Amino acid sequence: MASVRDDSHRLKTASQHLMVNFGEDHRTQRLQNFEFRLAIGLVIGAAALATMAWYRQPAQRANWKRQEAPLISYAPRFKEAELKCDLHSSVRREVRVRQLIVAPGAPGPGPAHATYGAMQAAYVQAKAVRAEWEASGAFDTLEQQFGNPNAGSRSLPPGLFRRGEALAAVERAAFCLPVHEISPPILAEDGFHIIEVLEAR
């Protein structure tokens, strides 16, 4: 009789252990299911956000192309070609240049503003003007069209000038280029400058 009681006690204890283990396994399973559903939800949410951002980009890009901004703010998009400097350019104290300025829109005094589309068109035109100047040497004819009468002395320094007296982009080219070499279009505050160093000392 005692052994039957012991067996029944062991069975009861074993069934209690099984129930406890089953309960813990069930809780663990529910927690894992919750974590899985949460992960799936986060992935779907991220995909939805990425899709919305992707669909909005063309509209933002189109908007951005229609907005006007200062010309110099486009400098990262219209980087000048690497200039090959004259071997003795580092010892130059002053230079004299002549230059043409291709501005998007009508040239005016001070820093100009333009849309990205206008900047692209001006850049293409500046490259064509440079090619024409280099091929024909007709600077005087081109100057009538691409001289800026409103340009200040920093934009078109008269005669010989020293460092710090011209726009930074123009100065970099002027104190680097070999004499009588025509620069690629260089973006400054008032348009694309194409310069030729006439004298350096």
Side-chain angles (χ1 to χ4, degrees):
M1 194 71 174
S3 71
V4 171
R5 244 188 248 127
D6 284 344
D7 286 344
S8 130
H9 180 68
R10 277 194 214 113
L11 270 171
K12 191 175 176 184
T13 307
S15 68
Q16 284 173 344
H17 281 299
L18 276 173
M19 289 301 288
V20 167
N21 287 343
F22 175 76
E24 285 176 5
D25 287 346
H26 190 63
R27 269 192 299 265
T28 305
Q29 186 64 39
R30 275 194 312 195
L31 185 61
Q32 286 174 344
N33 286 347
F34 172 74
E35 288 171 349
F36 179 73
R37 286 186 189 130
L38 182 63
I40 292 293
L42 288 172
V43 167
I44 290 170
L49 285 172
T51 304
M52 284 168 48
W54 185 77
Y55 276 112
R56 282 186 52 137
Q57 274 181 351
Q60 286 175 341
R61 211 177 294 126
N63 243 358
W64 170 72
K65 284 190 176 184
R66 286 193 295 268
Q67 291 174 350
E68 287 198 348
L71 301 194
I72 202 66
S73 68
Y74 295 108
R77 299 181 189 281
F78 296 98
K79 283 186 179 173
E80 62 225 49
E82 193 67 37
L83 297 173
K84 291 183 181 171
C85 290
D86 182 77
L87 292 174
H88 305 292
S89 62
S90 60
V91 296
R92 288 181 184 173
R93 294 188 322 278
E94 49 188 13
V95 294
R96 184 167 60 90
V97 302
R98 63 181 179 173
Q99 62 181 332
L100 302 172
I101 303 173
V102 178
H113 289 69
T115 64
Y116 183 67
M119 289 297 291
Q120 284 180 312
Y123 183 63
V124 168
Q125 186 179 26
K127 289 201 295 188
V129 167
R130 182 198 183 275
E132 188 179 340
W133 181 7
E134 198 169 41
S136 69
F139 176 80
D140 295 332
T141 307
L142 291 167
E143 188 180 28
Q144 290 171 9
Q145 191 178 354
F146 298 105
N148 183 350
N150 299 308
S153 60
R154 282 181 59 77
S155 181
L156 288 166
L160 289 159
F161 65 92
R162 294 175 176 271
R163 293 178 195 275
E165 295 177 358
L167 295 173
V170 173
E171 185 180 295
R172 269 195 307 275
F175 282 89
C176 167
L177 282 173
V179 176
H180 298 302
E181 187 172 312
I182 298 170
S183 75
I186 299 160
L187 180 59
E189 285 87 338
D190 53 357
F192 291 99
H193 292 241
I194 307 156
I195 75 165
E196 178 187 10
V197 178
L198 299 174
E199 185 183 351
R201 58 189 193 190

